[in-house]
């Protein structure tokens, strides 16, 4: 029996190039959210608009039964905290790569690095306070 035709079928294809490690990371993130790779990329790129057929009152898509135990964000605030944490992790990764390269080439740190690190530590302490 043929599948029914949707009102707005996904019949457009685009090709994007990724490294093998990037695909692995994307797949892991999709699994962690209980989504297929296509669904994960679509919702990441388009946001809430990508959730086809979601009711207007639904804040998040329903959990995928194929991935039991995956916790959905409990609120927009929780989602915001996770987003900020992910962005901070990326910044930390970039800083680590810069430091590693500077050490490899024996480049001395900038003069104002100590002051900048103190400011970052202060901000982290403030963020940890309730």
């Amino acid at each position: 029996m043929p599948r029914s035709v949707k009102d707005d079928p996904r019949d457009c294809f685009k090709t994007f190039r990724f490294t093998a490690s990037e695909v692995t990371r994307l797949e892991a993130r999709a699994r962690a959210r209980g989504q297929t790779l296509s669904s994960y990329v679509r919702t990441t790129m388009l946001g809430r608009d990508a959730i086809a057929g979601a009711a207007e009152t639904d804040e998040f898509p329903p959990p995928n039964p194929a991935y039991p135990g995956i916790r959905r964000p409990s609120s927009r605030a929780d989602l915001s905290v996770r987003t900020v944490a992910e962005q901070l992790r990326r910044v930390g990764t970039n800083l680590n790569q810069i430091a590693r390269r500077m050490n490899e080439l024996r480049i001395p740190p900038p003069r104002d690095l100590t002051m900048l690190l103190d400011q970052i530590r202060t901000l982290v302490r403030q963020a940890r306070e309730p």
Side-chain angles (χ1 to χ4, degrees):
M1 173 183 248
R3 294 190 318 187
S4 61
V5 178
K6 295 181 179 180
D7 291 336
D8 188 17
R10 292 191 176 108
D11 56 358
C12 295
F13 295 88
K14 292 291 177 187
T15 302
F16 296 91
R17 296 181 187 271
F18 297 98
T19 64
S21 64
E22 289 170 334
V23 170
T24 302
R25 287 173 36 209
L26 286 170
E27 290 171 340
R29 290 177 183 178
R31 270 192 313 277
R33 291 187 180 197
Q35 296 177 307
T36 64
L37 182 57
S38 294
S39 176
Y40 173 75
V41 170
R42 206 171 18 257
T43 55
T44 301
M45 297 300 294
L46 300 175
R48 172 116 171 81
D49 297 336
I51 304 169
E56 298 223 2
T57 58
D58 289 346
E59 195 164 333
F60 300 102
N64 186 333
Y67 299 97
I70 301 296
R71 188 176 77 80
R72 296 280 179 201
S74 59
S75 67
R76 288 267 182 222
D78 189 27
L79 187 60
S80 296
V81 168
R82 288 179 180 209
T83 301
V84 170
E86 176 63 20
Q87 291 171 353
L88 282 173
R89 187 194 63 76
R90 290 177 183 174
V91 169
T93 299
N94 290 343
L95 287 173
N96 190 39
Q97 291 171 352
I98 291 168
R100 185 178 301 138
R101 186 71 174 154
M102 288 177 68
N103 287 335
E104 286 174 358
L105 299 175
R106 301 199 187 284
I107 298 173
R111 290 183 206 151
D112 56 348
L113 180 63
T114 303
M115 183 177 66
L116 180 61
L117 288 173
D118 288 339
Q119 290 173 350
I120 291 171
R121 286 184 188 107
T122 301
L123 290 172
V124 169
R125 271 193 299 273
Q126 289 173 356
R128 286 182 177 168
E129 293 175 358

